[in-house]
Amino acid sequence: MSQEELKAAARRLFVPNYAPAAIVLERGSGCRVWDGAGREYLDFGAGISVNSLGHCNAGVTAAVTEQAAALNHTSNLYYNRPSIALAEKLLGACFAERVFFCNSGSEANEAAIKLARKFSSLHHADHKREIVTFSGAFHGRTLAALAATANPAYQEGFGPLPGGFVSCAFNDFAAAEKIIGAKTCAVLVEPVQGESGIHPAAPGFLGHLRKLCDRFDALLMVDEIQCGLGRTGNLFAHQWPDNGAGGVTPDVMTLAKALGGGLPIGAMLATARAAEALQPGSHGSTFGGNPVACAAAGAVFDQINDDALLAKVRRQGAALAEFLRDAGRRQGLFAEVRGRGLMLGAQLTAARAGHAADLMECCRRHGVLTLTAGKDVLRLLPPLSLGDAELEEGMSRIARAAEDFAREVAAE
Ligand SMILES: Cc1ncc(COP(=O)(O)O)c(C=O)c1O
């Protein structure tokens, strides 16, 4: 089939819930991908924070092919080596003592939500089942994850949604103090909000939530599905020291996206005390702990859990943010550039509000794949394995795209 035929078939065959750019990607290697017409792009979106080691990373490919030839699936009735090895690695690198594997971010959050409710049902009276989430949060598309995502744009038409979720203004210390209380069984928060436009938690905010959770014996649950696994330049985003006295220790963390290096896998990690709530029969997933996905994730984790790589992410992230501020100033494009490490959002000025998708399209025309977050923010999540020369090349392509954009979308 030609590229045009493929696109026509996709439009005819798929549920129309996505609106992809009209290109068919055929091949990827490192930080670059190629479309069917042979055009090359630098991938500064990394499959929405999934391809953190770029495309077709040699270590991941080797782990996957070896495991695929040995054992593909065991079900949860039996143990398998790759899932045990991955659990050892993850738990050795953070606060958590137990892990539950699933297939996506939404499922990881569903598991966290169910854990919080079950834990509370075992330890507390009936009234203590509320889960506090935040304005601007995104936790996924399954019904409970959607209920935790207090955004009418995502929720509209899907009601009735599961109850027991209360939304608090993000980074509002006083509002959190008012809302978190005796009814709260858990607080679910992204250390850096992704979908709403790259908003890091304010210094001390996660620490504040930790104190409130301790006061009311509620679980602090961090959603690191987009911001975890090296993306911010720390292995996990909650570990940044400015979150609260030297970092913050949650009770639960959810991961997905980058974990599988392109294969679908999610994880819910918890303290042993919290994890005890999920006894045999209480929760499960047919594919959770799949040996091939876990082998991929083991290879990913070995490469990301590396101080030199994380230092490079911090250095390159600072350079990319500086470049965006500079380019934005020259063209009068951006009101603010936010983020941490290689998780950056450039907020368009009021004069160009609503045109983030146009800027993304200009970037694509100039050979860089980027993302938006809402209508006003250009979002950049390049692979953590980005080379310095690729960063330079990406920045010069984006600079040309920004000039085009400034010309084409004149300030209104
Ligand atoms: C912070 C966060 N949580 C949860 C999800 C949902 O993950 P998935 O799409 O794998 O279900 C996403 C996806 O964008 C996310 O960014």
Side-chain angles (χ1 to χ4, degrees), residues 5-138:
E5 285 166 337
L6 281 169
K7 286 182 231 167
R11 283 192 285 272
R12 179 166 43 80
L13 295 169
F14 295 149
V15 170
N17 59 320
Y18 299 121
I23 54 172
V24 182
L25 294 180
E26 305 270 16
R27 191 163 65 82
S29 175
C31 300
R32 296 172 199 267
V33 286
W34 285 262
D35 68 15
R39 259 209 86 181
E40 170 264 340
Y41 303 90
L42 277 167
D43 185 0
F44 273 35
I48 321 184
S49 202
V50 167
N51 299 106
S52 282
L53 296 173
H55 294 267
C56 303
N57 173 267
V60 176
T61 304
V64 167
T65 42
E66 193 178 316
Q67 188 57 43
L71 185 67
N72 277 326
H73 179 69
T74 55
S75 84
N76 302 298
L77 300 173
Y78 310 99
Y79 295 119
N80 71 67
R81 277 179 193 276
S83 65
I84 296 168
L86 176 61
E88 292 264 31
K89 288 176 191 186
L90 290 171
L91 299 181
C94 70
F95 70 94
E97 296 153 304
R98 302 284 186 271
V99 59
F100 166 79
F101 289 121
C102 50
N103 312 287
S104 69
S106 299
E107 280 177 75
N109 283 335
E110 287 283 334
I113 289 163
K114 284 182 72 177
L115 173 73
R117 292 270 169 80
K118 193 73 164 181
F119 179 83
S120 191
S121 80
L122 297 172
H123 296 279
H124 302 294
D126 283 354
H127 69 272
K128 194 177 176 68
R129 298 290 183 272
E130 271 183 11
I131 296 178
V132 175
T133 65
F134 295 90
S135 55
F138 182 83

Side-chain angles (χ1 to χ4, degrees), residues 48 103-107 109 138-141 190 192 194-195 223-227 256-257 379:
I48 321 184
N103 312 287
S104 69
S106 299
E107 280 177 75
N109 283 335
F138 182 83
H139 296 298
R141 303 281 192 166
E190 290 163 85
V192 181
E195 298 299 304
D223 176 341
E224 297 227 9
I225 287 161
Q226 190 163 148
C227 65
K257 288 194 181 277
R379 182 168 38 149

Side-chain angles (χ1 to χ4, degrees), residues 39-323:
R39 259 209 86 181
E40 170 264 340
Y41 303 90
L42 277 167
D43 185 0
F44 273 35
I48 321 184
S49 202
V50 167
N51 299 106
S52 282
L53 296 173
H55 294 267
C56 303
N57 173 267
V60 176
T61 304
V64 167
T65 42
E66 193 178 316
Q67 188 57 43
L71 185 67
N72 277 326
H73 179 69
T74 55
S75 84
N76 302 298
L77 300 173
Y78 310 99
Y79 295 119
N80 71 67
R81 277 179 193 276
S83 65
I84 296 168
L86 176 61
E88 292 264 31
K89 288 176 191 186
L90 290 171
L91 299 181
C94 70
F95 70 94
E97 296 153 304
R98 302 284 186 271
V99 59
F100 166 79
F101 289 121
C102 50
N103 312 287
S104 69
S106 299
E107 280 177 75
N109 283 335
E110 287 283 334
I113 289 163
K114 284 182 72 177
L115 173 73
R117 292 270 169 80
K118 193 73 164 181
F119 179 83
S120 191
S121 80
L122 297 172
H123 296 279
H124 302 294
D126 283 354
H127 69 272
K128 194 177 176 68
R129 298 290 183 272
E130 271 183 11
I131 296 178
V132 175
T133 65
F134 295 90
S135 55
F138 182 83
H139 296 298
R141 303 281 192 166
T142 56
L143 280 181
L146 191 59
T149 300
N151 182 335
Y154 297 119
Q155 292 182 343
E156 185 150 340
F158 293 111
L161 295 174
F165 292 88
V166 183
S167 177
C168 174
F170 188 54
N171 282 338
D172 186 332
F173 287 64
E177 185 123 23
K178 219 158 140 195
I179 288 171
I180 297 167
K183 290 182 177 174
T184 310
C185 72
V187 173
L188 176 60
V189 62
E190 290 163 85
V192 181
Q193 291 188 337
E195 298 299 304
S196 67
I198 314 294
H199 294 279
F205 188 62
L206 295 188
H208 182 60
L209 298 181
R210 176 72 273 174
K211 263 189 240 133
L212 293 170
C213 284
D214 288 344
R215 192 182 300 163
F216 294 103
D217 196 16
L219 300 179
L220 178 62
M221 313 203 292
V222 290
D223 176 341
E224 297 227 9
I225 287 161
Q226 190 163 148
C227 65
L229 292 164
R231 175 56 55 195
T232 67
N234 219 328
L235 185 58
F236 298 113
H238 70 265
Q239 294 170 331
W240 277 98
D242 64 356
N243 284 320
V248 153
T249 307
D251 301 289
V252 174
M253 170 168 68
T254 51
L255 299 175
K257 288 194 181 277
L259 184 58
L263 268 78
I265 180 169
M268 187 226 18
L269 300 98
T271 60
R273 174 175 178 255
E276 278 305 295
L278 293 183
Q279 289 296 313
S282 60
H283 189 55
S285 161
T286 294
F287 290 114
N290 173 270
V292 179
C294 287
V300 167
F301 193 76
D302 288 342
Q303 294 179 67
I304 285 181
N305 187 18
D306 171 32
D307 287 343
L309 179 100
L310 297 172
K312 184 195 74 89
V313 169
R314 294 194 291 273
R315 176 175 58 74
Q316 290 183 328
L320 186 53
E322 200 38 49
F323 155 78

